[in-house]
Amino acid sequence: MEDRRIQKTKSAILEAFISLILEKDIPKITVSEIARRANIDRKTFYLHYDTTDAVIHEFIKNQVDELIDMLELKDFFNNIFDVSILFQALNILMEKNINLYRHIANSSLYNFLSEEIKKVIKTSFWENLRARVNISPQVFDLYAEFYSAGTMAVYLKWLRKEVAVSEDQLSQIAGNATYYGFQQFIPRNV
């Protein structure tokens, strides 16, 4: 357990970093700017982080850990095909700072975050379904990649405001696409 002062300083650094992301691209954010915004000196910054990249990695880790905690709480890993659980957890996570996530979704500089979330989805497939299906690991990996990449692509499209649907509609569409694909739209010959 970290000392409260350490937690408070790290929290101030992360908050400063997040506020700067909304103003400029990550490569242009400096330690001096973060320190100034966090109301600390550079020396204090370096007591907690070696570089701005270390702040980025902690930010990603915190977000992914929070997402995993929510998914576990909602029993997603035992209901892996219930995409609505994933979307609800993502919505709760992102509601805290939707402007940040919309900004991230609209910039290719932040692909690392969506890649990390995609890894969580794919890893959960591997850990929870691999033993239950009778296909080769290579084929399984392709299915897991397809599902996780598709889920992230749909969500990013929504964050970028490229589609005008509600969060609930988005969850429903993604779930139907996962379960039924295009087959649901093809008329059946009687």
Side-chain angles (χ1 to χ4, degrees):
M1 190 77 173
E2 280 183 328
D3 180 284
R4 279 192 204 179
R5 290 173 295 172
I6 292 171
Q7 289 177 341
K8 186 176 178 181
T9 302
K10 284 180 125 180
S11 180
I13 291 169
L14 283 169
E15 287 176 28
F17 173 72
I18 290 167
S19 70
L20 286 164
I21 288 175
L22 292 169
E23 297 171 18
K24 55 178 24 180
D25 293 330
I26 287 177
K28 295 178 182 177
I29 297 173
T30 66
V31 170
S32 295
E33 290 172 314
I34 294 171
R36 193 170 27 259
R37 184 82 45 110
N39 202 23
I40 60 171
D41 58 31
R42 287 173 48 94
K43 187 172 139 183
T44 303
F45 175 91
Y46 285 114
L47 287 173
H48 301 284
Y49 300 100
D50 296 332
T51 63
T52 56
D53 285 346
V55 180
I56 295 165
H57 291 295
E58 182 153 335
F59 170 72
I60 292 170
K61 182 187 177 316
N62 290 347
Q63 297 302 289
V64 169
D65 287 350
E66 192 172 343
L67 177 62
I68 290 170
D69 289 347
M70 282 189 272
L71 292 174
E72 286 174 348
L73 185 67
K74 293 180 177 285
D75 204 27
F76 174 71
F77 300 109
N78 290 321
N79 298 296
I80 197 79
F81 292 108
D82 188 349
V83 180
S84 66
I85 294 172
L86 174 63
F87 280 88
Q88 288 168 6
L90 283 168
N91 291 344
I92 290 167
L93 181 69
M94 293 182 188
E95 280 175 359
K96 295 175 187 173
N97 199 339
I98 193 70
N99 291 332
L100 171 68
Y101 285 99
R102 289 199 188 279
H103 179 76
I104 288 171
N106 282 302
S107 175
S108 62
L109 291 171
Y110 304 112
N111 287 340
F112 60 86
L113 183 58
S114 61
E115 283 300 312
E116 287 299 317
I117 293 170
K118 188 175 91 172
K119 281 183 202 173
V120 168
I121 298 166
K122 190 173 176 183
T123 300
S124 69
F125 260 94
W126 196 262
E127 292 172 353
N128 293 288
L129 292 179
R130 181 65 195 115
R132 293 192 245 167
V133 295
N134 188 21
I135 57 176
S136 75
Q138 187 176 31
V139 171
F140 183 88
D141 185 61
L142 290 172
Y143 271 82
E145 181 70 25
F146 181 84
Y147 177 81
S148 59
T151 300
M152 283 311 301
V154 166
Y155 210 85
L156 287 170
K157 194 172 195 70
W158 179 78
L159 279 170
R160 291 179 187 130
K161 296 183 178 183
E162 295 174 7
V163 293
V165 296
S166 70
E167 294 170 43
D168 291 337
Q169 290 171 315
L170 184 68
S171 296
Q172 184 68 40
I173 291 166
N176 287 341
T178 301
Y179 289 121
Y180 309 111
F182 281 107
Q183 270 187 317
Q184 64 187 312
F185 303 113
I186 299 171
R188 299 193 193 280
N189 292 341
V190 181

